[in-house]
Structure formats: structure tokens, C-alpha cells
């Protein structure tokens, strides 16, 4: 269980050090994750370039009967080829190799520049940080829905330092959440791949607070099937859905209007006592 004051930040005038002992480690881990995600964007050009190099080595070896080390050297240093000692086919092939290497260099450079320096570069960086955090998060809670109830839940979890991942379908809101540094997955919580991206197999629990009882019931059934050990808290708008959600595996079913009515009734009782 989490103590309600366990995760609060120290006050601004606190004498505690600003940097916690594990903060540097966390920053390094995030940076490493970002680099991994960044290099994944270069997988395709790097893979094709490797295949291109292999084919060029085999072609040089077949044309001139040289060792693979010499062929590899020729690819990156075409000036090392003595034009008076090779055949015409090798000369024409070396021109194609030179153009191919140049094209791959342009491709890789374009990928890097577009990611870092384009107008959406900052958002791309935020996206890579978010993806890196999603891959390493463990024992977290998944929040489905960022309506009025979902916002309150997220604020509470953030205040208590309880790890969570938010699933949001609205693209504009998704980009805003990225800018705010909130771990978020863009997609439909009813889809298996969206829940997998949110790390449902590694999650401790899920809170389903979508403004639709049918969707909440569907997500409850899906989440329970994907991770039977998951703790499930589900919102219901109507009493008739509440029992169906409990039967489908929900550990807790909350009816905000009902809970609000009970609270108002307790207040009335308090003030009616003379």
C-alpha cells in the first residue's frame, strides 16, 4: 500500500538536497532509452546499407578476385582503385558504388535532421522520451480515459508518485499530454495492441474511467483476459452496468453520481442535527 504522503515533493524552502541519489541514474536510463528509440528510426537505412555493402564486396571479389578486406576498403575509398590495373566493368561498377554510398549518406542524414531540427523536432524528441519510458515502466497503473474523472485520477497518482500510463484517443489532447511529459499512449483502450503498448502484462492495475459504460465493460473484459492478476477499477454510469462489470472481473466499480449523492446525503445529515 502507498502512504498518502509518501510521494509528495519537498517544499521549495526545504533544506533537503534538490537531486535525489537515484535521479542521475534515472536521467541516464532515460537518455539511453531515448538513444535506443532514436537509432530504431535508422534501422531501415542501416539494414539496407549493410546489404548493399555485402553485395558490393561480393561483386568486387568476383570482378577482380580480391580479398573481402580489400573490397571493403575500395567501397569507402574509391580513390584506392588503380584505374590502369582494373577492367572497364570494375570502373563502371565503382561509379555505381560511389553513388550508392553517397545516396545512403544523404538518407541517414535526412532522417537525423528531420528528427532533430524540423519544426516538430521538439515533439519528436518528446515522443522518443515517452516511448522509452513506456518500455521500461513496471508495476504501474493504466488509466483509460482523460475526462473529468480521469484528470482527477491522474493528478492524484502524479502527486503520490505512483507510476501510471494514460491511454487517450483524442489526437490533439495526446500531443498536449506529450508536451506536459505525461506518459501516454495514443489509441483505443479496447484494442489489444493499445493495451500491450501501455504495458498491461507488466502493470499492477488498470483504472477504466471512459464516459461510456459499454466501452468500460469491454475494456474490463479485455484487460482481465490479457492479465488475470490485474487489479481493475471501473467506472459505471448506471447501476445495471455495475454488476456486469463485477461479474466480468472488476475488483472495484465506482458510480460517481451515486457516490456524490451519498456524500451530499451525509452532509445534509450532518447539518440537520440540532
Amino acid at each position: 500500500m502507498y502512504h498518502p504522503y509518501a510521494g509528495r515533493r519537498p517544499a521549495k524552502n526545504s533544506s533537503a538536497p534538490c537531486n535525489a541519489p537515484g535521479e542521475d541514474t534515472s536521467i541516464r536510463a532515460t537518455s539511453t532509452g531515448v538513444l535506443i528509440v532514436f537509432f530504431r528510426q535508422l534501422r531501415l537505412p542501416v539494414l539496407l546499407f549493410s546489404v548493399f555493402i555485402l553485395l558490393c564486396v561480393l561483386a568486387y571479389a568476383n570482378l577482380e578476385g580480391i580479398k573481402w578486406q580489400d573490397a571493403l576498403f575500395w567501397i569507402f575509398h574509391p580513390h584506392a582503385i588503380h584505374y590502369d590495373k582494373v577492367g572497364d566493368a570494375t570502373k563502371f561498377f565503382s561509379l555505381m558504388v560511389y553513388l550508392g554510398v553517397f545516396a545512403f549518406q544523404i538518407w541517414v542524414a535526412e532522417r537525423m535532421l528531420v528528427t532533430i531540427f524540423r519544426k516538430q523536432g521538439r515533439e519528436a524528441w518528446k515522443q522518443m522520451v515517452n516511448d522509452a519510458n513506456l518500455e521500461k515502466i513496471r508495476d504501474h497503473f493504466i488509466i483509460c480515459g482523460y475526462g473529468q474523472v480521469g484528470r482527477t485520477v491522474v493528478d492524484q497518482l502524479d502527486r503520490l508518485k505512483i507510476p501510471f500510463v494514460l491511454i487517450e484517443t483524442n489526437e490533439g489532447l495526446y500531443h498536449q499530454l506529450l508536451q506536459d511529459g505525461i506518459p501516454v499512449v495514443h489509441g483505443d483502450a479496447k484494442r489489444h495492441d493499445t493495451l500491450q503498448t501501455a504495458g498491461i502484462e507488466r502493470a499492477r492495475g488498470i483504472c477504466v474511467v471512459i464516459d461510456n459504460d459499454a466501452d468500460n465493460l469491454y475494456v474490463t473484459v479485455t484487460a482481465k483476459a490479457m492479465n488475470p492478476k490485474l487489479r481493475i477499477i471501473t467506472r459505471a454510469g448506471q447501476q445495471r452496468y455495475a454488476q456486469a462489470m463485477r461479474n466480468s472481473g472488476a475488483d472495484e466499480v465506482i458510480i460517481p453520481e451515486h457516490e456524490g449523492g451519498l456524500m451530499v446525503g451525509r452532509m445534509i445529515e450532518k447539518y440537520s442535527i440540532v
Side-chain angles (χ1 to χ4, degrees):
M1 294 183 61
Y2 293 90
H3 193 280
Y5 298 97
R8 292 189 176 181
R9 296 187 179 93
K12 290 184 178 180
N13 59 354
S14 173
S15 59
C18 296
N19 294 326
E23 185 174 349
D24 292 340
T25 303
S26 177
I27 293 175
R28 287 195 297 269
T30 300
S31 299
T32 302
V34 169
L35 288 176
I36 292 174
V37 174
F38 179 75
F39 283 119
R40 280 180 180 174
Q41 297 187 6
L42 301 177
R43 283 187 301 184
L44 180 59
V46 170
L47 177 61
L48 292 180
F49 184 61
S50 301
V51 174
F52 175 77
I53 294 298
L54 177 60
L55 294 176
C56 290
V57 167
L58 295 176
Y60 273 135
N62 183 60
L63 288 171
E64 297 296 329
I66 60 176
K67 296 185 296 184
W68 70 267
Q69 297 93 328
D70 296 330
L72 187 63
F73 187 76
W74 278 9
I75 294 172
F76 293 100
H77 296 276
H79 299 292
I81 302 175
H82 297 283
Y83 68 92
D84 56 338
K85 296 183 179 180
V86 296
D88 291 337
T90 302
K91 294 177 184 178
F92 285 112
F93 181 73
S94 66
L95 293 175
M96 295 177 58
V97 172
Y98 178 81
L99 293 175
V101 171
F102 180 73
F104 275 108
Q105 290 174 342
I106 294 296
W107 190 9
V108 172
E110 183 267 342
R111 282 289 185 95
M112 297 178 66
L113 292 175
V114 164
T115 301
I116 298 175
F117 295 110
R118 67 185 294 182
K119 184 178 180 180
Q120 296 83 6
R122 180 176 298 181
E123 183 172 332
W125 177 259
K126 291 278 189 179
Q127 176 70 63
M128 288 188 292
V129 172
N130 184 69
D131 291 345
N133 289 333
L134 291 178
E135 290 184 3
K136 70 179 183 179
I137 195 167
R138 297 287 189 280
D139 294 326
H140 58 290
F141 281 81
I142 299 173
I143 312 301
C144 303
Y146 197 58
Q148 187 171 358
V149 177
R151 292 172 190 267
T152 304
V153 173
V154 167
D155 289 342
Q156 290 295 313
L157 294 180
D158 186 54
R159 182 179 64 84
L160 296 173
K161 298 298 183 183
I162 298 175
F164 68 91
V165 172
L166 177 65
I167 296 178
E168 177 55 46
T169 57
N170 185 283
E171 186 174 359
L173 185 54
Y174 164 75
H175 291 295
Q176 178 184 337
L177 293 167
L178 274 183
Q179 295 301 318
D180 294 339
I182 295 178
V184 58
V185 174
H186 181 222
D188 189 346
K190 300 191 298 294
R191 293 176 58 90
H192 285 70
D193 56 345
T194 302
L195 292 173
Q196 287 175 344
T197 303
I200 191 170
E201 295 88 355
R202 310 182 303 272
R204 177 176 297 182
I206 185 171
C207 183
V208 190
V209 289
I210 304 171
D211 296 330
N212 185 293
D213 283 352
D215 288 346
N216 289 341
L217 178 59
Y218 189 94
V219 175
T220 298
V221 174
T222 304
K224 196 67 176 180
M226 296 180 69
N227 186 350
K229 297 181 180 179
L230 205 65
R231 294 296 184 183
I232 302 177
I233 303 172
T234 307
R235 171 189 177 180
Q238 301 179 34
Q239 186 68 42
R240 62 190 181 93
Y241 274 98
Q243 189 58 47
M245 292 173 181
R246 293 189 184 95
N247 294 338
S248 300
D251 297 282
E252 303 287 346
V253 178
I254 307 299
I255 307 177
E257 291 78 6
H258 179 69
E259 298 295 331
L262 291 178
M263 182 174 294
V264 171
R266 287 194 293 267
M267 291 180 179
I268 293 174
E269 181 182 9
K270 172 183 175 182
Y271 291 116
S272 65
I273 298 176
V274 179

